[in-house]
Amino acid sequence: MSVGVVSKRYAKALLEYSIEHGAEDAMYGHISQLAYTLGSVKALSEALRNPSVNAESRVQLICNAAGPSPLFERFATLVVKEEREELLLFIAHSFIALYQKRKNILPVKLTTAVPAPSSLEEYVATSLAALSGATVKIENVVDSSIIGGFVVETEATRLDASVEGRLRSIRNKLVEQNRKLV
């Protein structure tokens, strides 16, 4: 069975379980923290794959990465019991996507060359909220390679209003014109 199918099944079951217990918002927080920790602390993934680390210690590592919660601890125990630790990051991302779809949240990545002013974030958020009818959650990423301007990315769309993107466009047009001359 593929990683994606298994991860989505675990994520869906976890979301349904947390909804039954009225804890989907808290679980979203725990899973978001877990995804961040797994993505940024490589030693955690290595420890979870290490066969010399016992099951109880692996559960504790997972729970420490996500924050204390009895419901989350039951999930972590199940994952370790079924030996699915290597899927945790995939499960977390699947859970986040399911939660955001259920709550009508549109994740947006706003890339700027310097930290974005709050006025730009507000403009992007209100514009996209009006277009999509969803609650917009902006993640601001600083990338100096775009030189200036900004890039807005949603799950389905990419708007490149950066200096780097404009320069690339001009370069491509010049190259295309030169090909016609040859």
Side-chain angles (χ1 to χ4, degrees):
M1 199 173 286
S2 81
V3 170
V5 172
V6 173
S7 299
K8 285 180 184 175
R9 286 184 181 171
Y10 272 83
K12 184 178 178 187
L14 179 60
L15 181 60
E16 290 173 2
Y17 180 74
S18 60
I19 289 169
E20 286 174 14
H21 289 82
E24 69 265 24
D25 296 335
M27 188 63 73
Y28 176 72
H30 292 301
I31 292 292
S32 296
Q33 180 61 43
L34 177 66
Y36 173 78
T37 305
L38 283 169
S40 60
V41 180
K42 301 297 179 203
L44 176 59
S45 297
E46 292 170 8
L48 293 174
R49 285 192 305 265
N50 187 338
S52 66
V53 176
N54 66 32
E56 187 177 310
S57 296
R58 282 185 283 199
V59 170
Q60 283 305 311
L61 284 170
I62 295 167
C63 290
N64 289 341
S69 164
L71 289 177
F72 184 83
E73 188 171 342
R74 287 192 73 194
F75 165 71
T77 303
L78 175 68
V79 168
V80 170
K81 178 183 171 204
E82 298 297 325
E83 298 179 356
R84 301 289 191 184
E85 298 92 344
E86 74 278 356
L87 299 179
L88 269 174
L89 187 58
F90 299 108
I91 294 169
H93 286 298
S94 295
F95 179 91
I96 290 168
L98 289 171
Y99 176 88
Q100 289 175 339
K101 183 176 181 181
R102 176 178 169 73
K103 295 287 187 170
N104 197 24
I105 298 171
L106 177 64
V108 176
K109 181 178 172 184
L110 174 63
T111 305
T112 54
V114 296
S118 59
S119 59
L120 177 62
E121 285 188 22
E122 289 174 25
Y123 177 76
V124 169
T126 55
S127 298
L128 290 175
L131 288 171
S132 67
T135 303
V136 176
K137 181 180 177 189
I138 294 184
E139 173 195 4
N140 185 247
V141 176
V142 176
D143 180 3
S144 61
S145 71
I146 69 167
I147 304 170
F150 60 90
V151 178
V152 176
E153 295 174 278
T154 66
E155 55 194 21
T157 312
R158 184 173 198 266
L159 170 68
D160 189 344
S162 68
V163 173
E164 188 266 339
R166 185 68 182 137
L167 290 172
R168 186 177 346 100
S169 173
I170 292 169
R171 183 182 144 272
N172 290 342
K173 285 179 185 176
L174 289 172
V175 167
E176 187 63 34
Q177 288 174 350
N178 286 333
R179 282 187 190 151
K180 291 178 183 177
L181 294 174
V182 177

